[in-house]
Amino acid sequence: MNIRRMLVLVVCSAVAGGWSACLADEGLWLFNKPPLRILKERHGFDPSTAWLEHVQKSSVRFSTGGSGSLVSADGLVMTNHHVGSDNLEELSTPDRNLLKTGFYATTRDQELKCEDLELMVLMTIEDVTERVHGAAPKRTAASIAQAARRKVMSAIETEAEQRTGLDCQVVTLYHGAWYHLYSYKRYTDIRLVMAPEESIASFGGDTDNFEFPRHGLDVCFFRIYENGQPLKPEHYLQWSKQGAADGDLTLVSGHPAVTQRLNTVAHLKFLRDIEMPATLENLWRREVQAQTFAGRSEENARIISGESGGVANSRKAFTGVIAGLLDPSIIREKLKSERELRLAVERDSTHQAEWGDPWDDVAVALETYQRFFDRYSALEGRRRALRSDLFAIAKNLVRLAEELPKPSGERLREFRESELDSLYLELFSPAPIYDDLEKYRLTTGLMALAQMLGGDDPLVAKAMGGLSPSERARALVSETKLKDVEFRKTLAKGGKQAIAESNDPLIRLVADLEPETRTLRQRYEDDVESAERDAYAKIALAQFATRGQDMYPDATSTLRLSFGPIKGYVEDGKPVAPFTTIGGAFARMEERKGVDPFKLPPSWTQHKDRLDLTTPFNFVCTADIIGGNSGSPVVNKTGEVIGVVFDGNIQSLVWDIAYDDAQGRGIAVDCRAIIECLRKVYDAGALADEITKP
Amino acid sequence: MNIRRMLVLVVCSAVAGGWSACLADEGLWLFNKPPLRILKERHGFDPSTAWLEHVQKSSVRFSTGGSGSLVSADGLVMTNHHVGSDNLEELSTPDRNLLKTGFYATTRDQELKCEDLELMVLMTIEDVTERVHGAAPKRTAASIAQAARRKVMSAIETEAEQRTGLDCQVVTLYHGAWYHLYSYKRYTDIRLVMAPEESIASFGGDTDNFEFPRHGLDVCFFRIYENGQPLKPEHYLQWSKQGAADGDLTLVSGHPAVTQRLNTVAHLKFLRDIEMPATLENLWRREVQAQTFAGRSEENARIISGESGGVANSRKAFTGVIAGLLDPSIIREKLKSERELRLAVERDSTHQAEWGDPWDDVAVALETYQRFFDRYSALEGRRRALRSDLFAIAKNLVRLAEELPKPSGERLREFRESELDSLYLELFSPAPIYDDLEKYRLTTGLMALAQMLGGDDPLVAKAMGGLSPSERARALVSETKLKDVEFRKTLAKGGKQAIAESNDPLIRLVADLEPETRTLRQRYEDDVESAERDAYAKIALAQFATRGQDMYPDATSTLRLSFGPIKGYVEDGKPVAPFTTIGGAFARMEERKGVDPFKLPPSWTQHKDRLDLTTPFNFVCTADIIGGNSGSPVVNKTGEVIGVVFDGNIQSLVWDIAYDDAQGRGIAVDCRAIIECLRKVYDAGALADEITKP
């Protein structure tokens, strides 16, 4: 079992979170601390400062989560179809289902404005670690230190915004060992240019998701407008005509969301035994309930398709992570590495005195968390029970009234000054809200809340208002006025008093649940999050001290650089080639008898004759990617686009906690397939010309 | 909201579990204690003893769970397609998918023998309450009394079997207030005669399941053979030529599995907050995982289709029950009725002295249960994690070796002498076992076990054997010899020693888990089940004393008689007619654009012209039915078949805990549709002739 052994070896070195002794192409590297030595030694590549700036400023962050890149002189942005699908859904109506039919604006005035999408381009990164650390004297209690740091972070952001006019965020790296100020140019006039049909973007559906060989045209195009005109960006990526070949180095610039590679073993076990099982349970429920809703009519299926896909995707991803956590070799190797590091700290009296036992601090924080995890997670975060659009609007309005009077640095983080523009965009979005879907979400959400906390729980009783879940949901949706954007604006303007006086049933529901929810959130931030952050910052410093600084921090939804060659792998004893072809999609359809989700759209079957079936379609590479990297451009050494990342294979799902490249791979759409399809399937020659124009 | 009010009124009267003041057609009545007064007063129907005996002896119980009826002089048995689907699946191969294509044996020698199906016909019922009660002196501890009663029940069964040659079972009614001896004629040579395609049997799939209007031909036919010849039964049901009309009285004879209408409020809350949420979580997981497996190939979809359908069905049913339990009016009315009864007992010093406070006893038993519910339910019963065919075989073999040396009355109940024939039939069944499915079930099951109990739990560690879930599953399935029926027989014959010495990995896995599993089971039986039974028997006696004996016991998978007219209802302010037509199925297909599961099979679309589209297809009636009634014949006052029960509507799902007929309805296939389709769609005129022959 060579593969097995390789996995263990690699995991061993990966445990430290980017320890440089690692032989694999691991790492989610900072643009202001790029892996120059490794790139040079391992791949003979020595990117210039100009190269790095060009790629950085050609990269785009999507407010909806996900990555993208500027690919033309006229502000064209490429991303994944599944990154743009929320917008495609919002732009659809019962008579115009853009997810089903796809879309192409042959002229600029046909481009469709996306009401609540914003794109950000990272302009500068500045190290502000000293100032943030200076705000909290050493040996202050974690929660007090954290409050002091948040205050100064907010001040730094505000000062920088006033100075530069950019959107500024202080990013916490290594859980607080470092703080960097990221300044973005923010664009809000974004228009849809082209999207293929979902049936080819997500060809193979849940079955082929996270699998390879793969055949997905998971791509779509938006255009940034500024002052009513297409953006003329300073930087945008050139397109590679010839694409890349097996063994070529790829570089990926994107926004990986969250990794937990620095996690202690106790923390991994908490994920394995408490947090992930609870999250998965919630996903299983939501997946089944989304399908039930979708089954009732074609229109239901349309309006819930985005949610269904998202839930199934998360379910498959978390299942992969939990499978990794249940692999005894992974915990074993993590434990070994942790023991080495603890021993090194114990042996050094200075370190010992300064850091104490941060591993134990993490364990204590998690024991505390476990005591209120069920209630807290039922009300906030990934496992929360109530998650309808209207409920979310009500919750944001209630909290906005509470938070806005406070200084920015003392607010809940999502209400900080730097977040408000995005929040208002979402809160006042005219995106359609569907009564039936809202009723269904609230009915099932109320049932879930009761199942999580018990039917006689006082909080549940408040949520139910003396009615059955379905009666309550019906009443809430039919009586609320929150569907009216103007009503929302009035409430937001009215502040605390307007909220207190409002008799809107959803506002009242949220207000009833807020006291306990806020108490739990405070408890989480003070007793868990701050304590963890404090401890992990020390663990990171212990790593620097012991293993050197040639490493990368865990992902934080900020811009990172990954790299690695295009490379096949071996699975069940059989080689998996690194490229698929367009012809392979037709073969896969035939193999699965054209049954959904293996049914190519009519545009493909009609134009099959035109297509060069040998065109490379998707490829795999060892570049270290994770959720949030979706839509990241894959470039070659000269910075040309050779593809766009849209997925990782099933063996890469464990990368959340530990990278290995024995079998784990990122998956991208090949640049050649994009041009081939634009020209021959979608009659979008003008778009192809714009992209490939030198 | 008239409907709402009606529901409350009816529930109020239904709470007592068949309290005779109830105005609705409630009741799962015993054949030896039929509701003669109610039938006469309310429906002017006075069935003779001969009528009752005829219907009883024409009714059939399926070993796979479900009901049926003898419908010809040559031993033909009618049931639901979904009752026979396990057998259809077992009789299928990759090249012969009977679920997809349907089946019709035009000659007797084409009929397909079902390897592990047995049918039972109830011959006699005898009251043995006194003898069972006599075995346990009053005021004995519940668990000791229960052991004594089980011993005498077993003795009664053995004596009766020796005397009659029948299969005899003592049935516990009212949780132990009464004990009746049921004696069955048992048939094991059962052959498949006819089944339509699953696509029309379950037309509308999960979306239309538990809904009305409905269009399902959920019917199939088997034939009982005895000594190699078709059975010539003493009793079988005649077929109604004209069918029934709106308002006609229907009588249903079948085997409702479990109701919990006598449950105390504390028990209902335990179901609502602990048991049902845990069960539903498990079902959501299994439904998603079954779909994932099915999505991988057509063959995968075939071999898991039965499980998928069963899980989805249970999920929808439990969701309905939990929705009922979360309806505050239901708990409120249950509480009101309970308070009245408790007060009546408290006021009567004799009762008080004899019964104490059985409601409190139930609450105490449930508090005890809650303390080990998570572990116990992870290992045994409805929520158990490990549920592959091979694991079940291993578990039965290990337990058989342990139980067989004990006297029948001291064994686990599923190993009592009276159960052994069925157990062996299942254990030594040559039904196909699919490696890929087994590996998938064990992988997901091991992951679920770890999620339920924690990855570091010693029992989980034993289950994993130092491997990851998928590696462990692969090893278990590829190394076990339990797929070989002869190997199973040898192990069964070898008893304890053979089990102890076996190095079969699945036998060893079960043996490793058994000590804790058995301890928990013992604890459940002693501290929960016995205590509950004892308490509920007293509550039943309190009901008899206070409200009279004109009531029925909770369902126990034994033969019961229900009744009620064919009757439409009002939903969302609109009337729902009691009958659908065959033409309605075509209309529904058109409405849903023929997308699966709304795609009629080719046999239907090809023969549409032949069909009389006005033929009644499905109908609803108020007869009190529940899971296990599937396949029950619906007869008219003269005992002729007018239909076959296959479902209840969504409003009937709450009948598990409380009957109401404001909207709740049983759903049946109309006898006329069956004949119309046999003749015109399936060219099965000979079968139609056999059924309708006077």
Side-chain angles (χ1 to χ4, degrees):
Chain A
M1 296 262 101
N2 263 341
I3 295 162
R4 175 96 223 127
R5 205 158 50 83
M6 278 170 71
L7 178 67
V8 173
L9 281 172
V10 173
V11 165
C12 166
S13 60
V15 160
W19 186 19
S20 61
C22 169
L23 287 170
D25 291 319
E26 176 177 354
L28 308 155
W29 300 89
L30 300 170
F31 267 79
N32 57 337
K33 202 168 180 302
L36 297 177
R37 190 185 55 78
I38 302 174
L39 279 173
K40 191 165 187 186
E41 283 178 14
R42 204 173 305 157
H43 298 289
F45 177 49
D46 193 4
S48 64
T49 312
W51 188 99
L52 288 162
E53 185 191 351
H54 175 67
V55 172
Q56 172 191 314
K57 292 186 177 169
S58 300
S59 298
V60 172
R61 179 177 171 182
F62 274 67
S63 60
T64 44
S67 305
S69 56
L70 282 155
V71 291
S72 92
D74 289 323
L76 200 64
V77 171
M78 173 171 69
T79 186
N80 291 150
H81 184 278
H82 78 265
V83 170
S85 63
D86 278 1
N87 305 100
L88 292 166
E89 201 176 311
E90 280 179 20
L91 291 168
S92 294
T93 62
D95 304 323
R96 181 179 77 173
N97 186 343
L98 299 187
L99 288 167
K100 196 170 175 183
T101 61
F103 176 79
Y104 175 49
T106 48
T107 59
R108 296 267 157 95
D109 60 0
Q110 288 175 3
E111 295 175 1
L112 300 174
K113 184 155 176 12
C114 301
E115 287 298 345
D116 48 0
L117 177 61
E118 46 177 30
L119 304 186
M120 322 266 277
V121 176
L122 178 62
M123 305 309 285
T124 63
I125 309 177
E126 191 187 335
D127 189 340
V128 295
T129 306
E130 268 189 48
R131 189 168 163 201
V132 176
H133 278 175
K138 277 182 187 177
R139 276 174 259 288
T140 318
S143 63
I144 295 168
Q146 180 59 13
R149 282 190 294 261
R150 277 177 62 182
K151 215 164 162 180
V152 77
M153 285 159 72
S154 181
I156 293 170
E157 288 168 356
T158 310
E159 284 165 27
E161 292 192 352
Q162 283 165 357
R163 193 176 68 234
T164 62
L166 298 173
D167 263 47
C168 301
Q169 287 177 356
V170 175
V171 178
T172 305
L173 299 167
Y174 298 107
H175 302 264
W178 294 354
Y179 293 89
H180 289 180
L181 175 67
Y182 278 56
S183 299
Y184 297 92
K185 187 119 177 60
R186 180 168 162 268
Y187 300 98
T188 53
D189 185 354
I190 314 299
R191 306 188 192 171
L192 176 67
V193 177
M194 190 273 163
E197 308 86 343
E198 191 172 35
S199 52
I200 183 59
S202 303
F203 184 69
D206 183 57
T207 298
D208 280 4
N209 190 18
F210 297 118
E211 309 279 348
F212 199 80
R214 187 71 162 280
H215 309 87
L217 188 67
D218 195 352
V219 67
C220 67
F221 294 91
F222 294 93
R223 192 184 305 281
I224 300 179
Y225 280 74
E226 202 174 34
N227 305 320
Q229 294 300 315
L231 178 73
K232 301 286 181 189
E234 195 190 340
H235 293 274
Y236 66 91
L237 299 174
Q238 294 291 323
W239 201 262
S240 165
K241 276 217 173 83
Q242 71 279 16
D246 191 359
D248 283 1
L249 179 67
T250 74
L251 297 119
V252 175
S253 168
H255 300 82
V258 186
T259 52
Q260 311 201 63
R261 295 184 191 167
L262 195 69
N263 277 18
T264 65
V265 171
H267 203 158
L268 291 177
K269 289 184 174 182
F270 183 86
L271 291 179
R272 180 191 70 188
D273 295 341
I274 309 289
E275 198 166 338
M276 294 249 170
T279 306
L280 265 176
E281 270 167 29
N282 206 33
L283 290 169
W284 289 322
R285 171 179 72 77
R286 291 176 59 208
E287 185 164 353
V288 168
Q289 289 174 341
Q291 285 173 1
T292 301
F293 183 80
R296 290 186 196 155
S297 73
E298 206 179 340
E299 172 64 358
N300 275 16
R302 181 184 76 78
I303 63 179
I304 208 170
S305 75
E307 184 173 331
S308 298
V311 168
N313 185 66
S314 298
R315 179 258 308 153
K316 202 163 177 180
F318 282 118
T319 304
V321 178
I322 218 166
L325 288 167
L326 286 171
D327 184 333
S329 65
I330 288 184
I331 293 278
R332 200 185 306 133
E333 295 304 326
K334 285 264 185 190
L335 197 58
K336 196 177 148 218
S337 166
E338 182 170 305
R339 279 195 188 128
E340 282 169 16
L341 199 60
R342 288 178 88 153
L343 207 62
V345 171
E346 275 169 32
R347 282 186 187 143
D348 184 319
S349 57
T350 322
H351 289 161
Q352 174 86 51
E354 194 168 353
W355 298 325
D357 186 348
W359 291 271
D360 193 54
D361 295 343
V362 171
V364 169
L366 292 169
E367 276 163 33
T368 305
Y369 190 22
Q370 196 168 343
R371 267 176 253 139
F372 65 98
F373 174 81
D374 279 347
R375 291 194 81 76
Y376 176 58
S377 64
L379 295 168
E380 289 260 312
R382 210 152 56 185
R383 194 179 79 115
R384 69 189 186 282
L386 296 169
R387 43 174 73 237
S388 93
D389 289 348
L390 288 168
F391 184 84
I393 289 167
K395 193 163 170 176
N396 272 334
L397 284 169
V398 170
R399 291 197 165 173
L400 188 70
E402 187 67 29
E403 297 300 302
L404 221 45
K406 300 180 192 169
S408 175
E410 292 173 24
R411 296 179 198 157
L412 291 177
R413 72 171 71 82
E414 62 272 29
F415 293 91
R416 281 184 304 172
E417 217 51 42
S418 58
E419 302 288 337
L420 283 183
D421 285 341
S422 310
L423 183 85
Y424 287 135
L425 200 65
E426 197 191 319
L427 188 56
F428 304 137
S429 162
I433 288 175
Y434 303 97
D435 279 10
D436 281 355
L437 181 54
E438 289 293 297
K439 282 178 200 164
Y440 188 71
R441 282 172 172 160
L442 285 170
T443 302
T444 54
L446 288 166
M447 288 180 76
L449 191 71
Q451 286 172 50
M452 288 170 179
L453 305 182
D456 286 343
D457 184 88
L459 187 114
V460 173
K462 276 183 201 166
M464 298 291 181
L467 299 171
S468 74
S470 60
E471 287 169 336
R472 174 67 158 159
R474 250 198 308 273
L476 287 169
V477 175
S478 57
E479 290 164 23
T480 187
K481 292 192 195 73
L482 292 173
K483 275 172 276 180
D484 175 2
V485 174
E486 290 311 311
F487 179 75
R488 291 178 220 163
K489 286 186 178 166
T490 310
L491 265 183
K493 214 173 166 183
K496 268 192 193 184
Q497 196 185 341
I499 294 295
E501 286 169 4
S502 169
N503 59 4
D504 189 279
L506 269 165
I507 294 288
R508 291 272 57 82
L509 170 61
V510 169
D512 283 349
L513 304 183
E514 270 298 87
E516 183 173 350
T517 310
R518 289 299 295 263
T519 304
L520 290 168
R521 168 113 180 226
Q522 190 70 45
R523 197 170 160 199
Y524 173 73
E525 291 188 354
D526 289 351
D527 299 349
V528 184
E529 199 181 45
S530 298
E532 276 180 18
R533 184 160 292 189
D534 207 54
Y536 279 119
K538 290 172 185 166
I539 291 172
L541 293 174
Q543 286 207 354
F544 295 156
T546 315
R547 296 170 178 167
Q549 287 208 15
D550 213 350
M551 50 187 277
Y552 62 91
D554 266 317
T556 49
S557 291
T558 49
L559 195 68
R560 301 294 178 92
L561 184 67
S562 308
F563 59 87
I566 294 179
K567 194 176 169 186
Y569 53 102
V570 176
E571 190 171 29
D572 294 334
K574 282 172 218 140
V576 178
F579 284 94
T580 60
T581 63
I582 286 181
F586 288 96
R588 181 88 173 122
M589 171 161 113
E590 201 165 320
E591 180 195 8
R592 295 304 301 267
K593 299 188 180 165
V595 172
D596 183 58
F598 297 97
K599 193 176 177 180
L600 290 168
S603 62
W604 276 59
T605 45
Q606 281 160 19
H607 299 137
K608 185 180 176 184
D609 294 347
R610 295 195 199 170
L611 283 163
D612 175 354
L613 297 177
T614 66
T615 310
F617 196 175
N618 292 170
F619 65 82
V620 284
C621 59
T622 65
D624 191 353
I625 54 112
I626 204 79
N629 268 115
S630 288
S632 299
V634 187
V635 301
N636 57 21
K637 290 179 184 179
T638 52
E640 293 168 338
V641 173
I642 53 175
V644 52
V645 166
F646 73 104
D647 206 2
N649 66 359
I650 205 119
Q651 294 90 344
S652 79
L653 291 171
V654 76
W655 291 3
D656 257 21
I657 50 166
Y659 174 91
D660 88 275
D661 67 359
Q663 295 181 298
R665 293 291 183 275
I667 310 177
V669 186
D670 195 286
C671 62
R672 289 161 287 189
I674 296 171
I675 298 302
E676 179 76 2
C677 295
L678 285 180
R679 292 199 191 281
K680 301 190 183 164
V681 176
Y682 299 105
D683 291 323
L687 179 59
D689 290 344
E690 182 183 345
I691 293 168
T692 53
K693 200 168 151 187
Chain B
M1 294 264 100
N2 261 341
I3 294 162
R4 176 93 224 130
R5 206 158 50 82
M6 277 170 72
L7 178 67
V8 174
L9 282 173
V10 173
V11 166
C12 166
S13 59
V15 162
W19 186 18
S20 61
C22 169
L23 287 169
D25 291 319
E26 176 177 354
L28 308 155
W29 299 89
L30 300 170
F31 266 79
N32 57 338
K33 201 167 179 302
L36 297 177
R37 190 186 55 77
I38 301 174
L39 278 174
K40 192 163 185 186
E41 284 177 13
R42 202 171 309 156
H43 298 289
F45 177 49
D46 194 4
S48 64
T49 311
W51 188 98
L52 287 163
E53 185 190 351
H54 175 68
V55 172
Q56 172 190 314
K57 292 185 175 168
S58 301
S59 298
V60 172
R61 179 178 170 180
F62 274 67
S63 60
T64 44
S67 305
S69 57
L70 283 154
V71 291
S72 91
D74 289 323
L76 199 66
V77 171
M78 173 171 70
T79 186
N80 291 149
H81 184 279
H82 78 265
V83 170
S85 63
D86 279 0
N87 305 100
L88 292 167
E89 200 176 312
E90 279 180 18
L91 291 168
S92 294
T93 63
D95 306 321
R96 182 180 75 174
N97 185 344
L98 299 187
L99 287 167
K100 195 169 175 185
T101 60
F103 176 79
Y104 176 49
T106 48
T107 60
R108 296 267 156 97
D109 60 1
Q110 288 176 1
E111 295 174 1
L112 300 174
K113 185 156 174 9
C114 301
E115 286 299 344
D116 48 359
L117 178 61
E118 46 177 31
L119 304 186
M120 322 267 277
V121 176
L122 178 62
M123 305 309 285
T124 62
I125 308 176
E126 191 187 332
D127 189 340
V128 295
T129 306
E130 270 189 44
R131 191 168 160 200
V132 177
H133 278 174
K138 277 182 187 177
R139 276 173 258 288
T140 316
S143 64
I144 295 169
Q146 180 60 11
R149 283 191 293 261
R150 276 176 62 180
K151 214 164 161 180
V152 77
M153 284 159 71
S154 181
I156 292 170
E157 288 168 356
T158 310
E159 284 165 27
E161 291 192 352
Q162 282 164 358
R163 193 176 68 235
T164 61
L166 298 173
D167 263 47
C168 301
Q169 288 176 355
V170 175
V171 178
T172 305
L173 300 167
Y174 297 108
H175 302 263
W178 294 355
Y179 293 90
H180 289 180
L181 175 67
Y182 278 56
S183 300
Y184 297 92
K185 188 117 177 61
R186 180 169 163 270
Y187 301 98
T188 55
D189 185 354
I190 314 299
R191 306 188 192 173
L192 176 66
V193 178
M194 190 273 164
E197 307 87 342
E198 191 173 36
S199 52
I200 182 61
S202 303
F203 184 71
D206 182 57
T207 299
D208 280 4
N209 190 17
F210 297 118
E211 309 280 347
F212 199 81
R214 187 70 162 281
H215 308 88
L217 188 67
D218 195 351
V219 67
C220 68
F221 293 91
F222 293 93
R223 193 184 304 283
I224 299 179
Y225 279 73
E226 201 174 32
N227 306 320
Q229 294 301 315
L231 178 73
K232 301 287 180 189
E234 196 190 340
H235 293 274
Y236 66 90
L237 299 175
Q238 294 292 324
W239 201 264
S240 166
K241 275 217 176 83
Q242 70 281 14
D246 191 0
D248 283 1
L249 180 67
T250 74
L251 297 118
V252 175
S253 168
H255 300 81
V258 185
T259 52
Q260 310 200 65
R261 295 184 191 168
L262 196 68
N263 277 18
T264 65
V265 171
H267 202 158
L268 292 177
K269 289 184 173 181
F270 183 85
L271 291 179
R272 180 192 68 187
D273 294 342
I274 310 289
E275 199 166 337
M276 295 248 170
T279 305
L280 264 176
E281 269 167 29
N282 207 32
L283 290 168
W284 289 322
R285 171 180 70 78
R286 292 176 59 208
E287 184 164 352
V288 168
Q289 289 174 341
Q291 284 173 0
T292 301
F293 182 80
R296 290 186 197 156
S297 73
E298 206 178 340
E299 173 63 358
N300 275 17
R302 182 184 77 77
I303 63 180
I304 208 170
S305 74
E307 184 174 329
S308 299
V311 168
N313 186 65
S314 298
R315 179 260 306 154
K316 201 163 177 180
F318 283 118
T319 303
V321 178
I322 218 167
L325 287 167
L326 285 171
D327 184 335
S329 64
I330 288 184
I331 294 278
R332 200 184 305 133
E333 296 303 326
K334 285 263 185 191
L335 196 59
K336 194 176 151 218
S337 166
E338 182 171 303
R339 278 195 188 130
E340 281 169 16
L341 199 61
R342 288 179 87 153
L343 207 64
V345 171
E346 275 170 32
R347 281 185 187 143
D348 184 317
S349 58
T350 322
H351 289 160
Q352 174 86 52
E354 194 168 351
W355 297 325
D357 187 347
W359 290 272
D360 193 52
D361 295 343
V362 171
V364 169
L366 291 169
E367 276 163 33
T368 306
Y369 190 22
Q370 196 168 343
R371 266 175 252 139
F372 64 100
F373 174 81
D374 279 346
R375 291 193 82 76
Y376 175 59
S377 65
L379 295 168
E380 290 258 314
R382 210 152 56 186
R383 194 179 79 116
R384 70 189 185 283
L386 296 169
R387 42 174 75 237
S388 93
D389 288 348
L390 289 168
F391 184 83
I393 288 167
K395 193 163 171 177
N396 272 334
L397 284 169
V398 171
R399 291 197 165 173
L400 188 69
E402 188 67 30
E403 297 299 303
L404 220 47
K406 300 179 191 170
S408 175
E410 293 173 21
R411 296 179 199 157
L412 291 178
R413 71 171 71 81
E414 62 272 30
F415 294 91
R416 282 184 304 173
E417 219 48 46
S418 58
E419 301 288 338
L420 284 183
D421 285 341
S422 310
L423 183 85
Y424 287 134
L425 200 65
E426 197 189 320
L427 188 56
F428 303 137
S429 162
I433 289 176
Y434 303 98
D435 279 10
D436 281 355
L437 181 54
E438 290 293 297
K439 283 177 201 164
Y440 188 71
R441 282 171 172 161
L442 285 169
T443 302
T444 53
L446 287 166
M447 287 180 76
L449 192 69
Q451 286 172 49
M452 287 171 181
L453 305 183
D456 285 343
D457 184 87
L459 187 115
V460 173
K462 276 184 202 165
M464 298 292 180
L467 300 171
S468 75
S470 60
E471 287 169 336
R472 174 66 157 159
R474 249 198 309 273
L476 287 169
V477 174
S478 56
E479 290 164 24
T480 187
K481 293 193 193 72
L482 291 173
K483 275 172 276 181
D484 176 1
V485 174
E486 290 310 310
F487 180 74
R488 291 177 219 163
K489 287 184 179 167
T490 310
L491 265 183
K493 214 173 167 185
K496 269 192 194 182
Q497 197 185 340
I499 294 294
E501 287 168 4
S502 170
N503 59 4
D504 189 279
L506 269 165
I507 295 288
R508 291 273 57 81
L509 170 60
V510 169
D512 283 349
L513 305 182
E514 269 299 87
E516 182 173 349
T517 310
R518 289 298 294 262
T519 305
L520 290 168
R521 168 112 181 226
Q522 191 70 46
R523 195 169 161 200
Y524 174 73
E525 290 188 355
D526 288 351
D527 299 349
V528 184
E529 198 181 45
S530 299
E532 275 180 18
R533 185 160 292 187
D534 207 56
Y536 278 119
K538 289 172 185 165
I539 292 172
L541 293 174
Q543 286 207 353
F544 295 156
T546 314
R547 295 168 178 169
Q549 288 208 15
D550 213 351
M551 50 187 276
Y552 62 90
D554 265 318
T556 49
S557 290
T558 49
L559 196 67
R560 302 293 178 92
L561 184 66
S562 308
F563 59 87
I566 293 177
K567 194 176 168 187
Y569 54 102
V570 176
E571 190 171 27
D572 294 333
K574 284 171 217 138
V576 178
F579 285 93
T580 60
T581 64
I582 286 181
F586 288 96
R588 182 90 172 121
M589 173 161 114
E590 199 164 323
E591 180 195 7
R592 295 303 301 267
K593 300 189 180 164
V595 173
D596 183 55
F598 297 96
K599 190 176 177 180
L600 290 168
S603 62
W604 275 60
T605 45
Q606 281 159 20
H607 297 138
K608 185 179 176 185
D609 294 347
R610 296 195 200 170
L611 283 163
D612 175 355
L613 297 177
T614 66
T615 311
F617 196 175
N618 292 172
F619 65 81
V620 284
C621 59
T622 66
D624 190 354
I625 54 113
I626 203 81
N629 268 113
S630 286
S632 300
V634 187
V635 301
N636 59 20
K637 290 179 184 179
T638 51
E640 293 168 338
V641 173
I642 52 174
V644 54
V645 167
F646 72 104
D647 207 1
N649 66 0
I650 206 118
Q651 294 89 345
S652 79
L653 291 170
V654 75
W655 291 3
D656 257 20
I657 50 166
Y659 174 91
D660 88 277
D661 68 358
Q663 296 181 297
R665 292 289 183 276
I667 310 178
V669 186
D670 195 287
C671 62
R672 288 161 288 189
I674 296 171
I675 298 303
E676 179 77 2
C677 294
L678 285 179
R679 293 198 191 282
K680 300 189 184 166
V681 176
Y682 299 105
D683 291 324
L687 180 59
D689 289 344
E690 182 184 344
I691 293 167
T692 52
K693 201 167 149 187

